[in-house]
Amino acid sequence: LWALDRRFEQLQHHNVFLSEDDDDDDPFLAAWDDQLPPRGASTAFPANGFHFYLCCNSRTDATAAPADGDSLMVLCPTPPLDDNADDALVDAWIAKARTAVYERLNKSAGADIESHVIHERVIDPREWRDGLGLRRGSVFGLAHGLDQLALFRPSRQSSRVDGLSFVGASTRPGNGVPLVLTSARLLCDELSGELGIKDS
């Protein structure tokens, strides 16, 4: 999260930046490439650039920043932490991501924001792990490659333990607040049906 001391009108409320390794790279094709190490491989930050999302909420909410400033939220992908990941590794990811975002905004949007950042707040996988108990700091639960989206995610019902059900980002239908809430509703409906409980 960045607070800026000036406005960058070229930024919209929603901004998506796709990876480009070089000037000849096709960002739309790169968007389909798995940027993270294969499951089970050691944790590593994407080596060849990464996609990121930027929200400039001061475009639609005048209270988010002073009239002559901007408020930005940048969402960068990070791999799950190794169980023995140390702070130096994550700090290096943050520095690498910060530099890459500054460079990309300057190159693609003509927004040289680095010297205009007056406050920064970083939320990284350590905070998700330590504050919310998310294993390996993985906010999206299981990997979300094409082979683990929607119906390819594990079932809400355990195949090994009778009566054991799951809910959340690592089960069907998937991750993100709307889908996690849908998962909870679907499980409640299924269990209500099994128990013969009718909606009141």
Side-chain angles (χ1 to χ4, degrees), residues 11-81:
L11 297 175
Q12 304 299 310
H13 180 94
H14 297 291
N15 306 267
V16 175
F17 294 86
L18 300 179
S19 171
E20 289 181 297
D21 293 342
D22 57 48
D23 291 337
D24 297 326
D25 191 22
D26 182 335
F28 295 100
L29 292 177
W32 292 103
D33 293 338
D34 187 3
Q35 298 183 29
L36 301 180
R39 280 181 215 100
S42 63
T43 300
F45 193 80
N48 297 318
F50 55 89
H51 316 310
F52 65 92
Y53 166 76
L54 183 147
C55 176
C56 183
N57 63 340
S58 43
R59 286 297 161 273
T60 55
D61 179 0
T63 66
D68 59 348
D70 263 335
S71 173
L72 306 181
M73 187 281 300
V74 179
L75 180 62
C76 295
T78 59
L81 296 172

Side-chain angles (χ1 to χ4, degrees), residues 73-134:
M73 187 281 300
V74 179
L75 180 62
C76 295
T78 59
L81 296 172
D82 278 340
D83 290 331
N84 60 352
D86 64 3
D87 286 342
L89 173 74
V90 180
D91 291 340
W93 288 354
I94 293 168
K96 200 181 245 188
R98 180 187 299 114
T99 299
V101 169
Y102 284 157
E103 289 173 356
R104 186 62 192 277
L105 287 174
N106 195 17
K107 175 185 173 190
S108 298
D112 185 9
I113 70 165
E114 184 173 4
S115 63
H116 297 283
V117 175
I118 56 173
H119 180 74
E120 176 183 78
R121 164 82 162 90
V122 175
I123 301 170
D124 64 58
R126 295 171 293 197
E127 190 164 335
W128 299 111
R129 178 195 63 201
D130 301 339
L132 298 173
L134 296 176

